[in-house]
Amino acid sequence: MTPSPTQAPRKTISDPEPLVVPPEYQANNLIELVARAVDTYPNNEAMRWKPTKTQRAEPGAEATDSGGWVHRTYREMWDWVTELSLGLRHLGLGDGDRFCIISRTRPEWVIADFAGLALGAVSCPIYPQSEAGQAAFVINNVGAKIVVVENAQQAAKIASVRAQCPTLEHVITIDAHGKFPDGTLTYDDVMARADTDPAERRVWRETFHAIEPDHLASVIHTSGTTANPKGVMITHGGLVYQYQAARQLIDLHPTDVFLSWLPLAHSFEKITGEVLPFAIGAAVAYAEPLIERLPANMVEVRPTVMAGVPRLFERVYGRVRSTIDTAPPLRQKIFNWAIGLGAKRYANHLAGRKDSPWLAAQVKLADALVYKKVRERTGGRVRYFVSGAAPLSREVGEFFYALGMLVLEGYGMTEASPLISVTRPADIVFGTVGQPAPGTQVKIDEFTGEVCSRGPGTMVGYINEPEETAKAVDAEGWLHTGDVGELDEAGRLRITDRLKNIIVLANGKNVSPGPMEAALSTSRLIGQAVILGDNQPYTGVLIAPDFDELGRWAAGNGLAEMPPEQLVEERSVQRLYDGEVKRLLDGFAIFERPRRVALLPRLLSEEEGELTPTLKTKLRVVQAKWADKISYLFDEKGGGSD
């Protein structure tokens, strides 16, 4: 079939954008990039955090504001890295050795990472929520010599499996408070072993300068649904490429302040919360451990760049919409007018038109009345939000655009180190994840629609798994992502779903649950949604309500103070959610839409094993834990909305 003159043929392979690397962006390894930032910006703020009761403020890092935040400059950070690295060398950690870090995101995590990498050792993070057996698997899979733990609880976890880990020689704790197994070392113990001989320190510096791009930097284990995840081998060159590609696409500055809260054990946060900021001389503030404190931390830190998963942006959107929906009519009218102006600006952006003087004048007024007040909830200075790890709803992206906050949506996977594509600030089209990163090429498999990528960030392979490596990266160097997508006429990538998530109904029709789940996520009443239906005659949806919003609705409908497990069984509540699902999914094909809705009595959680650390649903776990709810969805004799 020949395309019409007005319809460009759909691309199946992207046109590669050259990677242009100025001399100041060139480096052989990650530690060279950091050392250069230290030499260039020694007095810039590098790290900021609030010490907990068990976390003392390190020497030279004094609290300089009334909020209790501790600050450390690049020179002070580098001194910390140097002493710990030299101490680790004394313990026997050297070139090619493996070390693990099992801790939440905090400054000491980065210090340990840099200290080990500077010796040519390989960083192998473990998620702090991992069970003892999972931690032992990672330690043994990489043959780790040293494990850095956060506290006594994590030390006890490692002690319980230490007899199963023959390569493990030392356990080092970040927090020194509490009862620890015999032989546990503290950071102070390790730094006290650092060699003070200037000649030895010169040798140490020469060591990291000699690390080549193809030297293994990290083994990051994927957070999948199986008991034994695969260890992705990433090189220093792959990490440096992430920095170089990002600098070509996005204007980042040494004056930027990043707020870090996602797990550094994940490749997304490793790049956005470690590689990028410390390579450019920017500051990183570390959020407090309780996720409930994140909104307050944003106001206190006033970040200019922040990475997040879609759920963060969906919650901000939902909270704002909820506040407006209960506001006086005049306030609602003003807000909706202001958001409407944003929609007009976005339409002009898509069409390549300038805003008219009249629209610009109205936007200025709307900024004073509406936009600025909402932005203040995020600290008021955000230039870029970066969303990754899952698809972002188009409605949520357009909402933030209207408020004057750009959400750059990135796409990638650990096996690509992880960047494959990202939206450019000047070319944002919500519903796409932008064009492939410079130096990276994308193609769409003509038979399956699978997205494949090839570029400098592609992994070396899975450690100890050559057969799995061969399945993931073919002979031509194409990484098979497992995602289904398409390229538009401008070469922007649109991800439609995961290959393994595609639902095949009993009648043979294929359904992509991802777009419908994204649409449902925009409801302030819905906390999480999981669409099911493989081999069934129709689809159904599990919904975990947003219990704060449902509680407010219940209070106004005669159901106040009812516990969640009882509330979700109420017929009026079920009718409420049936109607919400029908409203939000009205634009989808009839055969795609869920016929029945089952309400869960609580949110899915990482602690229960139902979510990954980046809040993706572990479908197998959910299917096992909520089998009774799923049975209801597909019980032909049961009730429900048909």
Side-chain angles (χ1 to χ4, degrees), residues 501-512:
N501 286 353
I502 298 296
I503 294 170
V504 182
L505 298 177
N507 60 12
K509 291 184 177 180
N510 288 357
V511 176
S512 292

PDB file of all heavy atoms in Angstrom, residues 501-512:
ATOM      1  N   ASN A 501       3.770  -8.462  28.421  1.00  0.00           N
ATOM      2  CA  ASN A 501       2.549  -7.963  29.045  1.00  0.00           C
ATOM      3  C   ASN A 501       1.352  -8.006  28.111  1.00  0.00           C
ATOM      4  O   ASN A 501       0.221  -7.782  28.548  1.00  0.00           O
ATOM      5  CB  ASN A 501       2.739  -6.519  29.523  1.00  0.00           C
ATOM      6  CG  ASN A 501       3.604  -6.429  30.760  1.00  0.00           C
ATOM      7  OD1 ASN A 501       3.967  -7.451  31.338  1.00  0.00           O
ATOM      8  ND2 ASN A 501       3.940  -5.231  31.163  1.00  0.00           N
ATOM      9  N   ILE A 502       1.590  -8.210  26.821  1.00  0.00           N
ATOM     10  CA  ILE A 502       0.488  -8.229  25.876  1.00  0.00           C
ATOM     11  C   ILE A 502      -0.496  -9.326  26.266  1.00  0.00           C
ATOM     12  O   ILE A 502      -0.125 -10.483  26.448  1.00  0.00           O
ATOM     13  CB  ILE A 502       0.992  -8.465  24.435  1.00  0.00           C
ATOM     14  CG1 ILE A 502       1.922  -7.317  24.011  1.00  0.00           C
ATOM     15  CG2 ILE A 502      -0.173  -8.587  23.469  1.00  0.00           C
ATOM     16  CD1 ILE A 502       1.252  -5.972  23.930  1.00  0.00           C
ATOM     17  N   ILE A 503      -1.743  -8.944  26.411  1.00  0.00           N
ATOM     18  CA  ILE A 503      -2.791  -9.887  26.785  1.00  0.00           C
ATOM     19  C   ILE A 503      -3.406 -10.467  25.514  1.00  0.00           C
ATOM     20  O   ILE A 503      -3.814  -9.728  24.623  1.00  0.00           O
ATOM     21  CB  ILE A 503      -3.882  -9.181  27.617  1.00  0.00           C
ATOM     22  CG1 ILE A 503      -3.305  -8.734  28.971  1.00  0.00           C
ATOM     23  CG2 ILE A 503      -5.093 -10.084  27.819  1.00  0.00           C
ATOM     24  CD1 ILE A 503      -4.238  -7.831  29.756  1.00  0.00           C
ATOM     25  N   VAL A 504      -3.436 -11.788  25.431  1.00  0.00           N
ATOM     26  CA  VAL A 504      -4.093 -12.461  24.311  1.00  0.00           C
ATOM     27  C   VAL A 504      -5.394 -13.056  24.842  1.00  0.00           C
ATOM     28  O   VAL A 504      -5.390 -13.984  25.647  1.00  0.00           O
ATOM     29  CB  VAL A 504      -3.200 -13.562  23.704  1.00  0.00           C
ATOM     30  CG1 VAL A 504      -3.906 -14.213  22.516  1.00  0.00           C
ATOM     31  CG2 VAL A 504      -1.859 -12.986  23.275  1.00  0.00           C
ATOM     32  N   LEU A 505      -6.510 -12.495  24.406  1.00  0.00           N
ATOM     33  CA  LEU A 505      -7.807 -12.965  24.864  1.00  0.00           C
ATOM     34  C   LEU A 505      -8.126 -14.334  24.270  1.00  0.00           C
ATOM     35  O   LEU A 505      -7.482 -14.791  23.317  1.00  0.00           O
ATOM     36  CB  LEU A 505      -8.893 -11.958  24.476  1.00  0.00           C
ATOM     37  CG  LEU A 505      -8.768 -10.553  25.070  1.00  0.00           C
ATOM     38  CD1 LEU A 505      -9.873  -9.653  24.540  1.00  0.00           C
ATOM     39  CD2 LEU A 505      -8.795 -10.593  26.591  1.00  0.00           C
ATOM     40  N   ALA A 506      -9.126 -14.981  24.824  1.00  0.00           N
ATOM     41  CA  ALA A 506      -9.506 -16.314  24.366  1.00  0.00           C
ATOM     42  C   ALA A 506      -9.927 -16.321  22.906  1.00  0.00           C
ATOM     43  O   ALA A 506      -9.824 -17.350  22.231  1.00  0.00           O
ATOM     44  CB  ALA A 506     -10.632 -16.854  25.253  1.00  0.00           C
ATOM     45  N   ASN A 507     -10.403 -15.173  22.406  1.00  0.00           N
ATOM     46  CA  ASN A 507     -10.803 -15.082  20.998  1.00  0.00           C
ATOM     47  C   ASN A 507      -9.644 -14.725  20.075  1.00  0.00           C
ATOM     48  O   ASN A 507      -9.845 -14.514  18.879  1.00  0.00           O
ATOM     49  CB  ASN A 507     -11.938 -14.076  20.825  1.00  0.00           C
ATOM     50  CG  ASN A 507     -11.546 -12.673  21.269  1.00  0.00           C
ATOM     51  OD1 ASN A 507     -10.371 -12.390  21.508  1.00  0.00           O
ATOM     52  ND2 ASN A 507     -12.535 -11.795  21.384  1.00  0.00           N
ATOM     53  N   GLY A 508      -8.422 -14.641  20.640  1.00  0.00           N
ATOM     54  CA  GLY A 508      -7.234 -14.368  19.837  1.00  0.00           C
ATOM     55  C   GLY A 508      -6.876 -12.904  19.702  1.00  0.00           C
ATOM     56  O   GLY A 508      -5.811 -12.581  19.162  1.00  0.00           O
ATOM     57  N   LYS A 509      -7.716 -11.998  20.185  1.00  0.00           N
ATOM     58  CA  LYS A 509      -7.419 -10.571  20.066  1.00  0.00           C
ATOM     59  C   LYS A 509      -6.338 -10.163  21.067  1.00  0.00           C
ATOM     60  O   LYS A 509      -6.330 -10.638  22.212  1.00  0.00           O
ATOM     61  CB  LYS A 509      -8.684  -9.740  20.277  1.00  0.00           C
ATOM     62  CG  LYS A 509      -9.694  -9.875  19.147  1.00  0.00           C
ATOM     63  CD  LYS A 509     -10.887  -8.955  19.355  1.00  0.00           C
ATOM     64  CE  LYS A 509     -11.855  -9.041  18.185  1.00  0.00           C
ATOM     65  NZ  LYS A 509     -13.026  -8.163  18.362  1.00  0.00           N
ATOM     66  N   ASN A 510      -5.446  -9.258  20.630  1.00  0.00           N
ATOM     67  CA  ASN A 510      -4.375  -8.765  21.494  1.00  0.00           C
ATOM     68  C   ASN A 510      -4.780  -7.459  22.163  1.00  0.00           C
ATOM     69  O   ASN A 510      -5.354  -6.568  21.518  1.00  0.00           O
ATOM     70  CB  ASN A 510      -3.094  -8.534  20.685  1.00  0.00           C
ATOM     71  CG  ASN A 510      -2.444  -9.840  20.258  1.00  0.00           C
ATOM     72  OD1 ASN A 510      -2.906 -10.916  20.608  1.00  0.00           O
ATOM     73  ND2 ASN A 510      -1.373  -9.752  19.510  1.00  0.00           N
ATOM     74  N   VAL A 511      -4.439  -7.342  23.435  1.00  0.00           N
ATOM     75  CA  VAL A 511      -4.741  -6.136  24.203  1.00  0.00           C
ATOM     76  C   VAL A 511      -3.460  -5.655  24.880  1.00  0.00           C
ATOM     77  O   VAL A 511      -2.764  -6.436  25.528  1.00  0.00           O
ATOM     78  CB  VAL A 511      -5.818  -6.405  25.278  1.00  0.00           C
ATOM     79  CG1 VAL A 511      -6.040  -5.164  26.138  1.00  0.00           C
ATOM     80  CG2 VAL A 511      -7.119  -6.847  24.636  1.00  0.00           C
ATOM     81  N   SER A 512      -3.160  -4.357  24.757  1.00  0.00           N
ATOM     82  CA  SER A 512      -2.021  -3.743  25.453  1.00  0.00           C
ATOM     83  C   SER A 512      -2.536  -3.095  26.735  1.00  0.00           C
ATOM     84  O   SER A 512      -3.254  -2.082  26.670  1.00  0.00           O
ATOM     85  CB  SER A 512      -1.339  -2.701  24.572  1.00  0.00           C
ATOM     86  OG  SER A 512      -0.699  -3.310  23.484  1.00  0.00           O
TER      87      SER A 512
END
